[in-house]
Amino acid sequence: MRKKLRDDELQPTAEQLQCLYRLCYQLTNVMFQPIHIVRLDKRSLNIFILSGQNEEIELEITPDGSIEP
């Protein structure tokens, strides 16, 4: 059973932060795509990213740092 976390207790893992940095760099400096939302989902503990000119790119970073489309 997972402990219920308050919003102020939510923290991304070190692996998530490293992956988030790489993805943000690639999206903005390589692909020239805007980033609209970056959010830590308290249900799954995944980081959600919404980007793209028409908000067509949706990615999630799991706590172990892997990327899910």
Side-chain angles (χ1 to χ4, degrees):
M1 183 179 207
R2 209 181 257 181
K3 177 186 168 194
K4 185 167 174 131
L5 297 173
R6 295 187 328 249
D7 288 343
D8 62 339
E9 294 179 318
L10 290 176
Q11 294 290 321
T13 64
E15 292 84 1
Q16 282 177 309
L17 291 174
Q18 288 176 339
C19 186
L20 177 63
Y21 177 82
R22 286 191 309 270
L23 275 176
C24 288
Y25 178 85
Q26 289 176 341
L27 286 165
T28 58
N29 293 330
V30 177
M31 299 170 62
F32 301 105
Q33 297 296 319
I35 297 172
H36 301 283
I37 296 174
V38 176
R39 180 100 173 133
L40 181 59
D41 184 342
K42 64 181 168 183
R43 295 169 297 160
S44 66
L45 300 180
N46 291 348
I47 294 178
F48 174 76
I49 303 169
L50 179 64
S51 67
Q53 298 295 333
N54 298 309
E55 300 179 356
E56 70 274 12
I57 302 171
E58 294 182 18
L59 301 166
E60 287 192 49
I61 306 171
T62 62
D64 68 0
S66 61
I67 303 168
E68 295 181 355

